[in-house]
Amino acid sequence: MTGLVIRGSRNIFTVRSEGAFFEGEGGAELECRIKGKVLKGVEGFYNPLAPGDRVSFEPDAAHDGTGLILGLEPRRNLLTRFNQKGQSPQLLAANVDLILCVTTPVSPPFRPRFLDRALVQGEIAGIPTVIICNKYDLSEDDPDVEERLEDYIRIGYPVLRVSAKTGEGIDQFRELVTNRIAALLGQSGVGKSSLINALVPGRNIRVGAINEKYDRGNHTTTMSFLEAIPGVGEAGAYIIDTPGIRRFVPHGITGNELIHYMREFAPLAGTCTYGHSCSHVTEPGCKIMEAVTAGVIHEDRYESFLRIRAELLEPSGE
Ligand SMILES: Nc1nc2c(ncn2[C@@H]2O[C@H](COP(=O)(O)OP(=O)(O)OP(=O)(O)O)[C@@H](O)[C@H]2O)c(=O)[nH]1
Ligand SMILES: [Mg+2]
Ligand SMILES: [Zn+2]
């Protein structure tokens, strides 16, 4: 049998047999372990499987009502982050059509640095990303926030301004995810789980208040899980909720490769006077620095580029 991984820790996974979604309550959902404890092809990761993964499995004859995962079906793509505690890449979602990078104008404060890091990972994974600016009901029309959002649109990332609280923009949000598998990504407290609740009447995923002293979330969601969003007829969606991430550490590329994974930088790769050996900080004839001066690259994005690049070049990092 093949099935879809709905959620999982590092060793127990909920698997739903294919086709069970949208076909009535319950479906065939099974708590599964990995047969023989190790799954081929997932070595080196913090966790072996993510929601969205497809696996082959069989009922566990020795334990009624549970199953054994036999193998992993080939992945179309993989959304990961580098887990600094575990010093290994952690799987957040697999086989997704879209990353929904969630941010807020306030509460918690707008964090373009986080966006830049997450967008890089989206490019590495080859998954299109849309920026969802939630809590727009709280927006104070801060010109700095608006200017940054407009710049993301300029470089090719769609931005959707929504409010899970008032419902503003939620129809467009629903349209965006319809017939897709999307993964939410963002810092704690930006309203990832609330956005799913806004799409599904009566759904009550646990959400957490913002810590007022530190103006950030309390890491309410602790494990990724896949949620079926019912639609009209066939037009449903799958959304993968993920735990809030404090600091996103891109991985899977070297510091020198970063330039290819930031959209407005990529066309300039190799064009500096010193070619690919340019560090883009002091060299004369640096096309990246010229592009910053010309406004083709936003200063903030340049700052993000330098920071991420330095981090990737550190021998201790990945
Ligand atoms: N004003 C306002 N509050 C919102 C909105 N969306 C979510 N919230 C509130 O923000 C807080 C955090 O929401 P969550 O949905 O738990 O955030 P999360 O991103 O899932 O957080 P983690 O699970 O910790 O990663 C809750 O108190 C929500 O009620 C919104 O659009 N407007
Ligand atoms: Mg949550
Ligand atoms: Zn340069």
Side-chain angles (χ1 to χ4, degrees), residues 10 43-47 81-90 247 249 251 311 314-318:
R10 289 172 80 173
E43 297 83 3
F45 288 105
Y46 180 77
N47 51 335
R81 61 173 286 226
F82 191 72
N83 184 309
Q84 283 179 305
K85 245 202 255 160
Q87 279 298 304
S88 52
Q90 178 182 355
R247 191 164 171 281
V249 180
H251 77 99
E311 205 174 281
E314 264 173 43
S316 60
E318 226 242 351

Coordinates of all heavy atoms in Angstrom, one line a residue, residues 10 43-47 81-90 247 249 251 311 314-318:
R10 N 10.2 11.8 15.2 CA 11.4 11.3 14.6 C 11.3 9.8 14.4 O 12.1 9.2 13.7 CB 12.7 11.6 15.4 CG 13.0 13.0 15.3 CD 14.1 13.4 16.3 NE 15.4 13.1 15.8 CZ 16.6 13.4 16.3 NH1 16.5 14.1 17.4 NH2 17.7 13.1 15.8
E43 N 19.5 9.3 5.1 CA 20.6 9.4 6.0 C 21.0 10.9 6.1 O 21.0 11.6 5.2 CB 21.8 8.5 5.5 CG 21.5 7.0 5.4 CD 20.8 6.6 4.2 OE1 20.5 7.4 3.3 OE2 20.4 5.4 4.0
G44 N 21.4 11.2 7.3 CA 22.0 12.5 7.5 C 21.0 13.6 7.9 O 21.4 14.7 8.2
F45 N 19.7 13.3 7.9 CA 18.7 14.3 8.2 C 18.3 14.1 9.7 O 18.5 13.1 10.3 CB 17.5 14.1 7.4 CG 17.6 14.6 6.0 CD1 17.8 13.6 4.9 CD2 17.7 15.9 5.7 CE1 17.9 14.1 3.6 CE2 17.9 16.3 4.4 CZ 18.0 15.4 3.3
Y46 N 17.9 15.2 10.3 CA 17.4 15.2 11.7 C 16.3 14.3 11.9 O 16.2 13.6 12.9 CB 17.1 16.7 12.0 CG 16.6 16.9 13.4 CD1 17.5 17.0 14.4 CD2 15.3 17.1 13.7 CE1 17.1 17.2 15.7 CE2 14.8 17.4 14.9 CZ 15.7 17.4 16.0 OH 15.3 17.7 17.2
N47 N 15.3 14.3 10.9 CA 14.2 13.4 10.9 C 14.0 12.8 9.6 O 14.3 13.4 8.6 CB 12.9 14.3 11.3 CG 12.7 15.5 10.4 OD1 13.7 16.0 9.9 ND2 11.5 15.9 10.3
R81 N 15.2 23.0 6.8 CA 16.0 24.1 7.4 C 17.1 23.4 8.1 O 17.1 22.2 8.4 CB 15.1 24.8 8.5 CG 14.6 23.9 9.6 CD 13.9 24.6 10.7 NE 14.8 25.3 11.5 CZ 14.8 25.2 12.8 NH1 13.9 24.5 13.5 NH2 15.7 25.9 13.5
F82 N 18.1 24.2 8.4 CA 19.2 23.6 9.2 C 18.9 23.7 10.7 O 18.7 24.8 11.2 CB 20.6 24.3 8.8 CG 21.7 23.6 9.4 CD1 22.1 22.4 8.8 CD2 22.4 24.1 10.5 CE1 23.2 21.7 9.3 CE2 23.5 23.4 11.0 CZ 23.9 22.2 10.4
N83 N 18.9 22.6 11.3 CA 18.6 22.6 12.7 C 19.9 22.7 13.5 O 20.7 21.8 13.5 CB 17.9 21.3 13.1 CG 17.4 21.2 14.5 OD1 18.2 21.5 15.5 ND2 16.2 20.9 14.8
Q84 N 20.1 23.9 14.1 CA 21.4 24.2 14.7 C 21.6 23.3 16.0 O 22.7 22.9 16.2 CB 21.5 25.6 15.1 CG 21.8 26.4 13.8 CD 21.9 27.9 14.1 OE1 21.0 28.5 14.6 NE2 23.0 28.5 13.7
K85 N 20.5 23.0 16.7 CA 20.7 22.2 17.9 C 21.1 20.8 17.5 O 22.0 20.2 18.1 CB 19.3 22.1 18.6 CG 19.4 22.7 20.0 CD 18.3 22.2 20.9 CE 17.2 23.2 21.1 NZ 15.9 22.6 21.6
G86 N 20.4 20.2 16.4 CA 20.8 18.9 16.0 C 21.9 18.8 15.0 O 22.4 17.8 14.6
Q87 N 22.4 20.0 14.6 CA 23.5 20.2 13.6 C 23.3 19.3 12.4 O 24.2 18.6 11.9 CB 24.8 19.8 14.3 CG 25.4 21.0 15.1 CD 25.7 22.2 14.2 OE1 26.5 22.1 13.2 NE2 25.2 23.3 14.5
S88 N 22.0 19.3 11.9 CA 21.7 18.5 10.7 C 20.4 19.2 10.1 O 19.6 19.9 10.8 CB 21.4 17.1 11.0 OG 20.5 17.0 12.1
P89 N 20.2 18.9 8.8 CA 19.0 19.5 8.1 C 17.7 18.8 8.6 O 17.7 17.6 8.7 CB 19.2 19.3 6.7 CG 20.4 18.4 6.5 CD 21.1 18.2 7.8
Q90 N 16.7 19.6 8.9 CA 15.5 19.1 9.4 C 14.4 19.2 8.3 O 14.3 20.3 7.7 CB 15.1 19.9 10.6 CG 13.7 19.5 11.2 CD 13.4 20.4 12.4 OE1 14.2 21.3 12.8 NE2 12.2 20.3 12.9
R247 N 15.2 31.6 13.9 CA 16.2 32.1 13.0 C 16.4 31.1 11.9 O 16.7 29.9 12.2 CB 17.5 32.3 13.8 CG 18.5 33.0 13.1 CD 19.6 33.5 14.0 NE 20.7 34.1 13.2 CZ 21.6 33.3 12.6 NH1 21.6 32.0 12.7 NH2 22.5 33.9 11.8
V249 N 18.3 29.3 9.1 CA 19.6 29.1 8.6 C 19.6 28.3 7.3 O 19.3 27.1 7.3 CB 20.5 28.3 9.6 CG1 21.9 28.1 9.1 CG2 20.5 29.0 10.9
H251 N 20.7 26.2 4.1 CA 21.7 25.2 3.9 C 21.6 24.5 2.6 O 20.6 24.6 1.9 CB 21.7 24.1 5.0 CG 20.6 23.2 4.8 ND1 20.8 21.9 4.3 CD2 19.2 23.3 5.0 CE1 19.6 21.3 4.1 NE2 18.7 22.1 4.5
E311 N 28.0 33.5 6.8 CA 27.6 32.4 7.6 C 27.9 31.0 6.9 O 28.4 30.1 7.4 CB 26.1 32.5 7.8 CG 25.6 31.8 9.0 CD 24.1 32.2 9.2 OE1 23.8 33.3 9.7 OE2 23.3 31.4 8.8
E314 N 31.5 30.1 6.8 CA 32.1 29.7 8.1 C 32.4 28.2 8.0 O 31.4 27.5 7.7 CB 31.2 30.0 9.2 CG 31.5 31.3 9.9 CD 30.4 31.6 11.0 OE1 30.0 30.6 11.7 OE2 29.9 32.7 11.0
P315 N 33.5 27.8 8.4 CA 33.8 26.3 8.4 C 32.9 25.5 9.3 O 32.5 24.4 9.1 CB 35.2 26.2 8.8 CG 35.6 27.5 9.4 CD 34.7 28.5 8.8
S316 N 32.4 26.2 10.4 CA 31.6 25.5 11.4 C 30.2 25.3 10.9 O 29.5 24.4 11.3 CB 31.6 26.2 12.7 OG 31.1 27.5 12.5
G317 N 29.7 26.2 10.1 CA 28.3 26.2 9.6 C 28.2 25.0 8.5 O 29.1 24.2 8.4
E318 N 27.1 25.0 7.9 CA 26.9 23.9 6.9 C 27.0 24.5 5.5 O 26.6 25.6 5.2 CB 25.5 23.3 7.0 CG 25.6 21.8 6.9 CD 24.8 21.3 5.7 OE1 24.1 22.0 5.0 OE2 25.0 20.1 5.4

